[in-house]
Amino acid sequence: MDAAVDKMVRDRALNRCEYCHMPQPFYSERFQIDHVVARQHSGTSEAINLALACIDCNLHKGPNISSVDPVTGTRVDLFNPRSDIWVEHFEWAGVQLVGRTAMGRATIRLLQINSPRRSVVRETLMEEGVFPLDDR
Ligand SMILES: [Zn+2]
């Protein structure tokens, strides 16, 4: 990854995961540059197809571009940080991220954003008053 592109992606993301909104400073491992549409699905390495993702989100997302909404059972596209607006699809209910749409619910489930371990981390940060930041 070109250093200038890497920096642009991190700056554009406000240095937080573009899926779960975890800020990089509270995470020990360096966030990864995610191909929103994986290269195996002909996704490019252009900035328009790149997003900043924490290790957990990136690991669970893998090359997937769609998943199943756990409420309706329908197949839907995953949240795309480049074309979808985060607050239209997600909202916080305490430490749990809640999907406001089928896309939001499918993304939360596939990326396991509400796993117990990750929820505990968020709870600690919320108690410290440093999470969540301004959601956009
Ligand atoms: Zn994440």
Side-chain angles (χ1 to χ4, degrees), residues 17-22 27 31 52-58 111 113 118:
C17 175
E18 296 192 73
Y19 297 97
C20 73
H21 273 187
M22 181 64 71
Y27 214 97
F31 286 0
L52 190 61
C54 72
I55 313 301
D56 288 310
C57 284
N58 206 25
L111 275 52
I113 290 173
R118 297 170 76 179

Side-chain angles (χ1 to χ4, degrees), residues 23 26 124-133:
F26 303 128
T124 302
L125 295 174
M126 285 176 175
E127 285 170 0
E128 294 173 4
V130 294
F131 185 84
L133 301 173

Side-chain angles (χ1 to χ4, degrees), residues 58-73:
N58 206 25
L59 179 70
H60 292 112
K61 179 172 174 283
N64 293 294
I65 54 178
S66 67
S67 189
V68 174
D69 171 19
V71 172
T72 63

Side-chain angles (χ1 to χ4, degrees), residues 1-12 33 47 50:
M1 181 68 57
D2 179 81
V5 173
D6 183 280
K7 182 180 186 310
M8 184 281 295
V9 171
R10 291 175 195 282
D11 289 349
R12 180 177 63 188
I33 307 298
L50 300 176

